[in-house]
Amino acid sequence: MNRNDIIIAEFRENDGTVTTGGFGRHLVLLHHCGRSTGIERITPLFALRQDPDTWMIVATKAGAPEHPAWFHNLLAHPEVTIETPDDGTVAVRAEQVTDSERDLAWAKFVEVSPIFAQYQAKTERTIPVVALRRRT
């Protein structure tokens, strides 16, 4: 079992609370489709709830020089679902945010956990911020 599988299992067994890595209730499980393979994947991601219908996530890949695969999958297939600690499974549409909306969201991530600033310092790319907005 890899680390993501362990986190997913803990999320589901504890109603969205994950003590592994100190995530608490700041995770969502992103169900996305591989842009090339079409295979459904599940990725646990640190998320900040912006409002009742929006969760923000960041494509850090721990400061790697390239974006994570899930980010490219969202660009290709933005209509996805997430499992949340408080709302269960939610249908959302992913949208990369830019400019001031991105900067404000990024600042909140850094405020909650300084590790995000360390990830940005490790890479030359601007780490993308994605809004997951509830579909109606």
Side-chain angles (χ1 to χ4, degrees):
M1 199 180 244
N2 68 34
R3 186 172 192 270
N4 278 355
D5 291 337
I6 292 167
I7 291 171
I8 290 167
E10 185 177 350
F11 181 97
R12 289 177 173 162
E13 290 168 7
N14 297 303
D15 296 319
T17 299
V18 178
T19 59
T20 301
F23 292 113
R25 295 182 66 77
H26 284 292
L27 285 183
V28 296
L29 302 184
L30 174 68
H31 293 249
H32 54 102
C33 184
R35 71 182 190 277
S36 301
T37 65
I39 296 171
E40 182 180 315
R41 304 192 185 283
I42 301 172
T43 304
L45 295 168
F46 191 93
L48 294 177
R49 188 107 182 231
Q50 183 177 22
D51 60 49
D53 294 322
T54 307
W55 294 260
M56 301 300 252
I57 57 176
V58 289
T60 65
K61 199 174 181 183
E66 70 280 343
H67 299 319
W70 64 259
F71 175 74
H72 298 289
N73 293 344
L74 290 183
L75 293 179
H77 306 287
E79 293 196 353
V80 296
T81 59
I82 55 174
E83 293 177 56
T84 72
D86 299 316
D87 292 66
T89 301
V90 179
V92 295
R93 179 170 180 80
E95 173 191 338
Q96 183 177 356
V97 296
T98 58
D99 303 323
S100 63
E101 185 178 13
R102 184 253 175 227
D103 294 344
L104 287 170
W106 180 256
K108 288 179 187 174
F109 276 91
V110 172
E111 180 182 323
V112 170
S113 180
I115 191 76
F116 291 105
Q118 293 173 26
Y119 293 156
Q120 184 61 75
K122 288 173 58 177
T123 186
E124 292 182 17
R125 68 184 172 93
T126 299
I127 294 175
V129 176
V130 176
L132 302 172
R133 302 185 200 281
R134 188 187 302 262
R135 288 186 272 150
T136 55

